[in-house]
């Protein structure tokens, strides 16, 4: 932050943002009136799931309109208001009054209307932390090897708290409901099944093969698969630490505090603190979790590659730029196959930040540069999918069904399965504002030809954050909001560090009387609110993370041993949940076209399952109390059953 820049053009910037909001509201009303509601969308689903269908065509359209408006409307109005200036002392005082008063009223209203527990206390605590940072952090840079050691301890703690065993798996439906889908995908691959040929994989194509290859020597279990994801989580934290350390120093207190804040929103256990520790400060929760302390589908499965690219992007400006570009596009292809949702966002953000670097040049070189990287992005997507098509055909002898690559996106986003509408009075607003301000700042720098430095990096993080936000836009639960915060917190930490550096050596009196520096201090205070949120999350959960210990639970070993004698070494249809866990324990794998029972939603899927059940070589295992919802639609007549321990029934023709 440049103190002199605060004097020039703030009214134009604020006016552009305000007019953008008004323009977006007008466009939103116009678009909303023209979006038809799709009729009969529930006919494809089994009867029991139809109440969960809540299509959101209008909200989806408005979200896409917002994505298009963020990089266009603010800069367009900024150019239109180019001659407007209010740099007088009165204007700067007005700016500070508007900034403080408006932010206080807006954030207080949001926190008291938010469904996130303790939100007002978080706001007060984060504001106090920000004030302390500004008061103390502008005087000296604290460095010590102990701070780097503390960061290493956070990484270890992040790994340790994500390794679980059967006891944690069986603790609650919210744990096994999510984990079992991952277990089923890896179990299928280990037994020769091919994703998109023999089965679908809800959370990505590539990662089951990686997990299967790494876990084959150890055997598949809850503990080994959780260890795989815990290691990915630890590596993710390492990349985020290295990215922060590049700016703040590896041994600095600033890096430690920023890293703790980022860890507080990029780790399942730390990030779930507002719900798991509701109305508490420091206490053990003794396994009474409202939100599962492990959620590998998001942390780290969806966030590992984005964290890696947050570390990688600044290397584009280094001496090995060409090597980094080639590696970046290749790894974008890997990320796309790893998880198509976030891989696509990473590819778009990577390409956009590379195209952005030349926006300050003349239009012809800029056009060639943009077209080149757009072509490279298209080639990356086509090449990665094509490579998998060839791999799948070589492995299975059949061509993969690429429509299955986006099957679950269709189920969730087109039909609105399990979706929730966004609430107006919720904390997604300041989250989006972080990305809007970042993109707007990068756009203004492009106008003056200053597209080097950290601007491409910040643009990448902001664009990734906007893409990540699509997860919350669809399923707008406050618990989901906590899962999409980390890009905003990372950006906020960078801005706070930049603000403190700009205020370095400034006396308290100068801070209060000098308008430009006072403006920087106020902006730094506001940026610090998200940092404080992450830091409070981390601090609240630390006693729980250090506590250790696990509940003593075990699935009936006699039941799984009996099933092993019946279905071990052969595929089976397990009409009992958690089916992947039971199949792994029994030495079997699923014969279904999905990785796990919970991935069956549609009538056409049930019809395909019926054809599998009708085959003479298929063994069916049922349980009267553990059967999935769709099992009642499968005709088991003609099958002869034998009872086994634990209430299981083994059915054959």
């Amino acid at each position: 932050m440049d103190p002199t820049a605060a004097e020039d053009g703030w009214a134009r910037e604020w006016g552009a943002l305000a007019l953008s909001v008004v323009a977006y509201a007008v466009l939103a009303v116009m678009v909303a009136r023209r979006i038809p509601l799709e009729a009969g969308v529930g006919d494809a689903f089994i009867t029991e799931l139809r109440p969960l269908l809540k299509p959101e065509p209008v909200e989806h359209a408005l979200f896409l309109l917002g994505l298009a408006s963020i990089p266009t409307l603010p800069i367009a109005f900024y150019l239109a208001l180019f001659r407007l200036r209010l740099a007088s002392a009165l204007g700067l005082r007005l700016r500070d009054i508007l900034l403080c008063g408006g932010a206080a009223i807006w954030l207080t209203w949001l926190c008291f209307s938010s469904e996130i527990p303790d939100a007002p206390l978080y706001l007060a605590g984060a504001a106090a932390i920000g004030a302390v940072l500004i008061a103390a952090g502008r005087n000296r840079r604290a460095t010590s090897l102990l701070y780097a050691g503390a960061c290493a301890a956070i990484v270890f703690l992040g790994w340790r708290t994500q390794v679980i065993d059967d006891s944690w798996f069986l603790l609650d439906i919210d744990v096994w409901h999510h984990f079992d889908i991952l277990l089923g995908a890896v179990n299928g691959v280990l037994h020769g099944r091919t994703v998109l040929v023999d089965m679908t994989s809800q959370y990505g194509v590539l990662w089951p093969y990686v997990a299967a290859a790494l876990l084959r020597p150890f055997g598949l279990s809850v503990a080994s698969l959780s260890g795989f994801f815990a290691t990915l989580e630890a590596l993710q934290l390492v990349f985020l630490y290295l990215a922060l350390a590049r700016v703040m120093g590896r041994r600095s207190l600033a890096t430690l505090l920023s890293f703790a804040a980022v860890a507080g929103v990029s780790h399942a256990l730390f990030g779930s603190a507002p719900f798991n520790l509701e109305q508490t400060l420091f206490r053990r929760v003794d396994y009474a979790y409202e939100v599962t302390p492990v959620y590998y589908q998001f942390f780290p499965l969806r966030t590992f590659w984005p964290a890696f690219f947050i570390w990688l992007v600044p290397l584009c400006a280094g001496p090995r730029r060409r090597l980094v570009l080639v590696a970046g596009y290749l790894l974008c292809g890997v990320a796309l196959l790893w998880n198509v949702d976030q891989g696509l966002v990473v590819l778009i953000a990577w390409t956009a930040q590379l195209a952005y670097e030349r926006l300050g040049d003349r239009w012809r070189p800029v056009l060639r540069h943009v077209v080149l990287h757009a072509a490279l992005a298209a080639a990356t997507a086509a090449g990665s999918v094509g490579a998998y098509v060839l791999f799948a055909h070589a492995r299975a002898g059949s061509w993969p069904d690429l429509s299955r690559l986006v099957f679950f996106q269709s189920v969730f986003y087109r039909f609105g399965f399990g979706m929730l509408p966004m609430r107006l009075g919720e904390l997604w607003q300041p989250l989006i504002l972080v990305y809007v301000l970042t993109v707007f700042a990068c756009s203004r720098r492009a106008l003056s030809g200053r597209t080097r430095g950290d601007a491409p990096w910040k643009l990448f993080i902001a664009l990734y954050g906007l893409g990540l936000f699509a997860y919350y836009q669809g399923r707008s639960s406050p618990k989901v909001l906590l899962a999409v915060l980390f890009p905003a917190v990372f950006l906020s930490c960078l801005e706070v560090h930049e603000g403190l550096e700009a205020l370095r050596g400034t006396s308290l009196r100068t801070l209060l009387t000098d308008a430009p520096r006072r403006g920087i201090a106020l902006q730094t205070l506001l940026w610090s609110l998200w940092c404080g949120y992450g830091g409070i999350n981390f601090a609240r959960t630390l006693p729980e993370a250090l506590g250790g210990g696990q509940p003593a639970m075990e699935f009936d070993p006699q039941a799984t041993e009996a099933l092993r004698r019946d279905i071990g070494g052969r595929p089976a249809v397990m009409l009992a949940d958690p089916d992947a866990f039971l199949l792994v324990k029994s030495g079997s794998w699923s014969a279904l076209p999905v990785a796990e029972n919970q991935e069956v939603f549609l009538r056409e899927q049930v019809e395909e399952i019926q054809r599998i059940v009708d085959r003479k070589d298929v063994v069916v295992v049922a349980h009267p109390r553990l059967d999935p919802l769709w099992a009642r639609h499968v005709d088991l007549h003609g099958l002869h059953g034998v009872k086994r321990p634990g209430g299981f029934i083994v059915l054959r023709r």
Side-chain angles (χ1 to χ4, degrees):
M1 297 180 185
D2 180 8
T4 60
E7 300 183 28
D8 183 30
W10 71 267
R12 184 166 72 248
E13 296 168 10
W14 290 22
L17 292 172
L19 289 174
S20 298
V21 172
V22 174
Y24 172 77
V26 173
L27 291 172
V29 172
M30 296 172 61
V31 168
R33 291 178 177 177
R34 288 168 172 77
I35 301 296
L37 295 177
E38 188 173 356
V41 294
D43 297 342
F45 283 74
I46 63 174
T47 307
E48 291 81 0
L49 295 180
R50 292 177 186 176
L52 298 177
L53 301 181
K54 299 176 182 179
E56 300 176 334
V58 174
E59 192 170 292
H60 291 165
L62 297 185
F63 176 63
L64 294 175
L65 175 64
L67 291 181
S69 300
I70 286 172
T72 54
L73 290 181
I75 198 66
F77 284 114
Y78 179 78
L79 292 173
L81 299 174
F82 191 76
R83 296 185 178 278
L84 180 61
R85 293 177 182 271
L86 277 175
S88 66
L90 178 61
L92 292 177
R93 291 193 189 96
L94 176 63
R95 176 204 63 186
D96 297 341
I97 293 172
L98 291 175
L99 184 62
C100 293
I105 295 172
W106 177 51
L107 293 174
T108 300
W109 168 66
L110 286 177
C111 286
F112 278 97
S113 63
S114 173
E115 292 181 345
I116 296 177
D118 302 334
L121 297 179
Y122 268 90
L123 177 61
I129 291 172
V132 171
L133 285 176
I134 294 172
R138 59 190 167 78
N139 293 325
R140 64 187 183 93
R141 299 181 180 92
T143 59
S144 171
L145 186 60
L146 292 176
Y147 299 143
C151 290
I154 292 174
V155 173
F156 173 75
L157 202 59
W159 174 84
R160 176 183 173 274
T161 56
Q162 294 300 285
V163 179
I164 65 174
D165 62 9
D166 291 358
S167 296
W168 274 104
F169 180 88
L170 297 169
L171 175 65
D172 187 81
I173 186 174
D174 281 336
V175 177
W176 67 253
H177 167 81
H178 296 104
F179 196 150
D180 208 49
I181 298 175
L182 307 177
L183 199 63
V186 179
N187 191 38
V189 169
L190 276 171
H191 287 92
R193 306 192 83 196
T194 302
V195 180
L196 303 185
V197 177
D198 304 306
M199 66 176 184
T200 54
S201 175
Q202 182 174 346
Y203 296 103
V205 170
L206 184 60
W207 72 265
Y209 296 101
V210 177
L214 293 175
L215 297 181
R216 189 179 296 274
F218 309 99
L220 180 62
S221 65
V222 170
S224 65
L225 186 56
S226 72
F228 167 75
F229 285 115
T231 302
L232 283 182
E233 174 67 35
L235 289 174
Q236 170 183 303
L237 290 174
V238 168
F239 286 127
L240 294 174
Y241 162 74
L242 292 176
L244 290 168
R246 182 183 286 117
V247 177
M248 306 175 192
R250 294 191 178 186
R251 301 182 178 185
S252 74
L253 179 60
T255 301
L256 172 59
L257 295 177
S258 298
F259 184 52
V262 172
V265 292
S266 61
H267 185 281
L269 177 63
F270 298 136
S272 59
F275 289 93
N276 292 338
L277 302 174
E278 184 178 359
Q279 302 298 331
T280 71
L281 184 58
F282 299 114
R283 72 172 180 88
R284 290 288 306 281
V285 296
D286 294 328
Y287 321 125
Y289 289 99
E290 181 176 349
V291 180
T292 172
V294 292
Y295 186 37
Y296 305 122
Q297 277 92 333
F298 211 89
F299 304 118
L301 200 152
R302 279 187 174 104
T303 53
F304 172 77
W305 285 108
F308 171 82
F309 274 88
I310 288 175
W311 168 77
L312 181 70
V313 167
L315 297 181
C316 293
R320 299 181 179 179
R321 174 179 171 83
R322 184 166 297 182
L323 176 62
V324 172
L325 293 184
V326 173
Y329 274 113
L330 289 175
L331 292 174
C332 278
V334 172
L336 187 65
L337 292 178
W338 184 273
N339 177 265
V340 67
D341 294 338
Q342 296 309 307
L344 183 60
V345 173
V346 166
L347 177 59
I348 292 173
W350 167 262
T351 306
Q353 65 90 16
L354 290 173
Y356 169 82
E357 291 177 341
R358 297 290 295 274
L359 290 186
D361 297 344
R362 295 183 178 181
W363 71 270
R364 286 185 179 178
V366 168
L367 182 60
R368 285 196 300 268
H369 186 73
V370 171
V371 170
L372 171 63
H373 284 288
L376 288 173
T380 297
S384 61
V385 174
Y388 182 76
V389 167
L390 296 176
F391 165 79
H393 187 269
R395 175 183 169 94
S398 301
W399 296 108
D401 181 0
L402 293 182
S403 66
R404 293 187 178 188
L405 189 63
V406 292
F407 168 75
F408 292 100
Q409 286 79 358
S410 174
V411 168
F412 291 113
Y413 287 99
R414 178 191 170 192
F415 298 110
F417 180 70
M419 295 299 178
L420 295 170
M422 291 176 64
R423 297 175 64 253
L424 180 62
E426 192 51 89
L427 293 176
W428 61 264
Q429 294 185 36
L431 175 64
I432 285 291
L433 183 61
V434 170
Y435 304 137
V436 171
L437 293 176
T438 303
V439 173
F440 186 33
C442 292
S443 301
R444 298 199 311 274
R445 290 181 65 167
L447 290 178
S448 58
R450 297 181 295 118
T451 56
R452 298 295 193 264
D454 63 356
W457 187 33
K458 290 182 178 179
L459 180 65
F460 172 86
I461 300 171
L463 294 179
Y464 163 63
L466 288 171
L468 180 66
F469 186 80
Y471 180 46
Y472 173 75
Q473 181 275 311
R475 187 163 294 173
S476 305
S477 161
K479 301 173 186 179
V480 174
L481 181 60
L482 303 182
V484 300
L485 285 177
F486 98 84
V489 173
F490 194 96
L491 281 171
S492 297
C493 289
L494 296 180
E495 294 295 339
V496 169
H497 177 72
E498 188 176 332
L500 292 178
E501 288 297 308
L503 297 174
R504 186 74 61 192
T506 303
S507 67
L508 183 59
R509 180 176 180 180
T510 303
L511 196 66
L512 296 175
T513 57
D514 183 72
R517 283 178 169 77
R518 186 175 65 240
I520 292 177
L522 292 175
Q523 293 175 48
T524 302
L525 177 62
L526 292 177
W527 283 112
S528 71
L529 295 180
W530 276 129
C531 306
Y533 177 91
I536 293 171
N537 261 7
F538 178 80
R540 292 183 73 184
T541 319
L542 196 56
E544 173 68 9
L546 292 171
Q550 293 186 355
M553 296 184 183
E554 185 180 10
F555 199 87
D556 186 355
Q558 292 184 344
T560 54
E561 186 58 34
L563 290 177
R564 180 178 289 273
R565 291 193 292 269
D566 286 304
I567 63 175
R570 61 184 297 182
V573 175
M574 179 67 69
L575 300 182
D577 287 328
D579 66 301
F581 174 78
L582 295 171
L583 289 169
V584 169
K585 286 288 187 181
S586 306
S588 177
W589 64 97
S590 178
L592 301 182
V594 293
E596 206 266 353
N597 283 342
Q598 297 168 83
E599 296 181 333
V600 177
F601 312 101
L602 307 181
R603 292 192 300 173
E604 66 180 39
Q605 290 178 293
V606 176
E607 292 168 0
E608 185 176 359
I609 291 171
Q610 184 67 62
R611 291 192 291 269
I612 294 172
V613 169
D614 290 340
R615 286 167 23 196
K616 293 183 179 181
D617 61 330
V618 171
V619 178
V620 178
V621 179
H623 195 291
R625 297 190 306 276
L626 302 178
D627 58 318
L629 286 174
W630 53 266
R632 65 198 66 178
H633 297 281
V634 178
D635 185 5
L636 300 178
H637 290 91
L639 297 177
H640 303 284
V642 179
K643 292 185 178 180
R644 291 289 183 258
F648 291 97
I649 304 173
V650 178
L651 301 161
R652 293 185 176 90
R653 289 197 179 276

